[in-house]
Amino acid sequence: MTNEKQFEALWRAGCKEAILAIIRNKGRALSKSQLEHQLTSSVSRGLVSHAITLATLSGRSLQRSDVERLIKRCLKLGWVPDALHAARQGALSDKTRQRLCDACVANGFAKTLS
């Protein structure tokens, strides 16, 4: 991927830190290890769209552990719609799925069947 295309993709996703990393890198595209570092940072902060974009630029999809961590972080921050978006990115454990369902019900995004 060219420098410009990587920059544009990161700009569209709003990945400020990754853009700053490109600037510090004198305009050169981020390496695979730099993208992975940015991905890890985005996952730990619960930034779903950033994580998806960075994973795509790395040439892979989000791993199950990434998706689980994203959902847990989003729920901790109260970002239920973001957690739902993250859930569409891969498989979930039953425990995480239950926590997500409970959060959806508690925040009025879903109703119980009873």
Side-chain angles (χ1 to χ4, degrees):
M1 175 172 284
T2 66
N3 301 347
E4 294 83 19
K5 289 194 185 277
Q6 190 181 78
F7 185 88
E8 288 173 17
L10 294 169
W11 183 267
R12 279 192 306 274
C15 299
K16 180 182 173 183
E17 288 193 22
I19 291 168
L20 291 174
I22 289 176
I23 292 169
R24 285 189 302 271
N25 207 21
K26 298 180 180 165
R28 291 188 304 268
L30 299 178
S31 68
K32 200 151 182 107
S33 65
Q34 289 171 315
L35 287 169
E36 287 295 325
H37 172 75
Q38 293 294 326
L39 174 60
T40 301
S41 176
S42 293
V43 168
S44 67
R45 290 183 293 151
L47 303 173
V48 179
S49 64
H50 293 193
I52 294 167
T53 299
L54 289 161
T56 302
L57 291 174
S58 294
R60 67 176 183 90
S61 57
L62 289 173
Q63 297 172 351
R64 182 177 180 161
S65 61
D66 296 330
V67 173
E68 295 270 342
R69 286 179 42 224
L70 268 172
I71 292 170
K72 289 175 185 175
R73 182 64 178 152
C74 288
L75 291 178
K76 185 175 183 177
L77 294 169
W79 301 346
V80 179
D82 291 309
L84 287 169
H85 183 57
R88 293 194 310 251
Q89 304 306 312
L92 306 175
S93 68
D94 290 338
K95 182 178 178 181
T96 301
R97 183 177 291 111
Q98 186 60 50
R99 287 179 64 198
L100 184 57
C101 289
D102 292 344
C104 287
V105 170
N107 287 280
F109 292 105
K111 295 182 182 180
T112 59
L113 295 175
S114 55

